[in-house]
Amino acid sequence: DSGVTQTPKHLITATGQRVTLRCSPRSGDLSVYWYQQSLDQGLQFLIHYYNGEERAKGNILERFSAQQFPDLHSELNLSSLELGDSALYFCASSVGDSGVYEQFFGPGTRLTVL
Amino acid sequence: AQTVTQSQPEMSVQEAETVTLSCTYDTSESDYYLFWYKQPPSRQMILVIRQEAYKQQNATENRFSVNFQKAAKSFSLKISDSQLGDAAMYFCAYRSGVSNFGNEKLTFGTGTRLTIIP
C-alpha cells in the first residue's frame, strides 16, 4: 500500500458524459501527478500540481481538467467522453516538486467509456 | 524531449534463473534519475529500483540490480533467482533532475512483459 488513494476503482460511463476522478496523496505530500495508461498510448503524463498550483501540463486534452484543493486532494475531470478515453488513470504523489523525490502511485481508476 | 525505449515487448525466464530487461533513453541533460517500475496483474505501479545519473555505482535492491551505462544511455534491469511473483510488466522511466517547471514528470518506456516459467 503506497498510501495514495484513488476513487472510484472502476467507472463505466457512456460517450459524451462527464466524470470526476479523485486522488488523496500520502500524508505530507504536496505534489500530485496524473498519468493515463492506455493500450495505444502507453503511460503518459497528464498534469502536475504542487501545493494547489498547476506546475506542468503534459498530453492532456482540453476536455480534461484538474485541480488540487487546500487539503491537497486532487480531482481530474474528464468531459465529453469518447471511446478513446477508456484507460487506467493513475495518481501519484511526492513530497516535493523536484526530481529527487520519489513518486508513489495510487491503485488507479479504470475508466470504461461505452 | 526525453524518450525511453524498451525494445523487448516480452521476455520469459525459468524460475530461479536470471533475466535482463533492456532500456535505452535519449536526453541532453546530465542530471537525471532512472527508474524501473513493476506492474503486476493488480495494475499497481511498484517502484523496483532507482538510479541517480551522477552515481557511478550501479543500484541494487536484493535480487534486482541495474547496469547503468551513462555514455551509452543504457539502463538494464537484472533479476536474479527469478520467482513466480516477479511476473509482471516492467517499465523503465526517466525523470529530469533539473528543478524547473515541467521537468518533474516521469517519462515511461512501452514496457516489457515478463513471464516466469515454473
Side-chain angles (χ1 to χ4, degrees):
Chain A
D1 185 357
S2 66
V4 179
T5 60
Q6 290 187 247
T7 56
K9 282 189 176 181
H10 302 280
L11 200 47
I12 302 174
T13 188
T15 54
Q17 295 299 305
R18 172 190 171 93
V19 297
T20 297
L21 313 184
R22 181 187 170 104
C23 168
S24 293
R26 295 186 321 153
S27 177
D29 284 1
L30 300 178
S31 271
V32 170
Y33 303 80
W34 287 96
Y35 294 89
Q36 178 195 56
Q37 184 177 26
S38 62
L39 283 175
D40 54 344
Q41 300 284 351
L43 264 162
Q44 290 204 357
F45 165 72
L46 294 179
I47 198 164
H48 170 208
Y49 276 84
Y50 176 74
N51 203 20
E53 293 186 2
E54 181 185 303
R55 277 296 175 94
K57 273 186 175 180
N59 298 321
I60 187 166
L61 300 171
E62 286 191 7
R63 300 183 286 107
F64 296 0
S65 65
Q67 53 184 327
Q68 186 180 27
F69 295 85
D71 66 352
L72 300 177
H73 90 272
S74 178
E75 294 180 357
L76 180 66
N77 300 295
L78 315 177
S79 61
S80 303
L81 285 167
E82 302 176 358
L83 295 178
D85 298 328
S86 295
L88 187 56
Y89 291 85
F90 285 107
C91 162
S93 74
S94 69
V95 169
D97 61 344
S98 78
V100 69
Y101 301 111
E102 180 182 339
Q103 293 183 23
F104 294 87
F105 281 77
T109 293
R110 178 168 293 283
L111 173 66
T112 302
V113 182
L114 300 176
Chain B
Q2 295 82 23
T3 58
V4 178
T5 302
Q6 293 179 251
S7 58
Q8 305 156 316
E10 296 183 354
M11 292 281 285
S12 61
V13 62
Q14 293 276 353
E15 193 176 1
E17 295 297 308
T18 296
V19 64
T20 299
L21 309 184
S22 301
C23 172
T24 59
Y25 58 95
D26 188 25
T27 183
S28 58
E29 298 176 331
S30 59
D31 183 16
Y32 52 88
Y33 301 85
L34 295 167
F35 306 86
W36 279 98
Y37 280 87
K38 171 185 177 180
Q39 188 179 40
S42 68
R43 298 293 189 175
Q44 176 75 48
M45 293 291 287
I46 302 166
L47 178 64
V48 174
I49 200 164
R50 158 191 171 134
Q51 174 79 43
E52 293 85 350
Y54 64 85
K55 289 186 177 178
Q56 293 188 338
Q57 187 172 6
N58 290 325
T60 62
E61 286 287 343
N62 300 314
R63 296 183 295 107
F64 299 87
S65 62
V66 298
N67 183 4
F68 174 48
Q69 302 289 327
K70 191 171 184 178
K73 295 180 182 174
S74 171
F75 182 62
S76 60
L77 174 70
K78 186 171 85 171
I79 306 174
S80 303
D81 185 27
S82 297
Q83 301 176 0
L84 293 178
D86 295 333
M89 279 288 286
Y90 286 82
F91 292 94
C92 179
Y94 173 101
R95 189 176 184 186
S96 172
V98 177
S99 293
N100 192 6
F101 283 23
N103 283 348
E104 299 85 5
K105 67 179 184 292
L106 287 165
T107 300
F108 289 91
T110 50
T112 297
R113 182 174 300 281
L114 179 64
T115 300
I116 310 297
I117 304 166

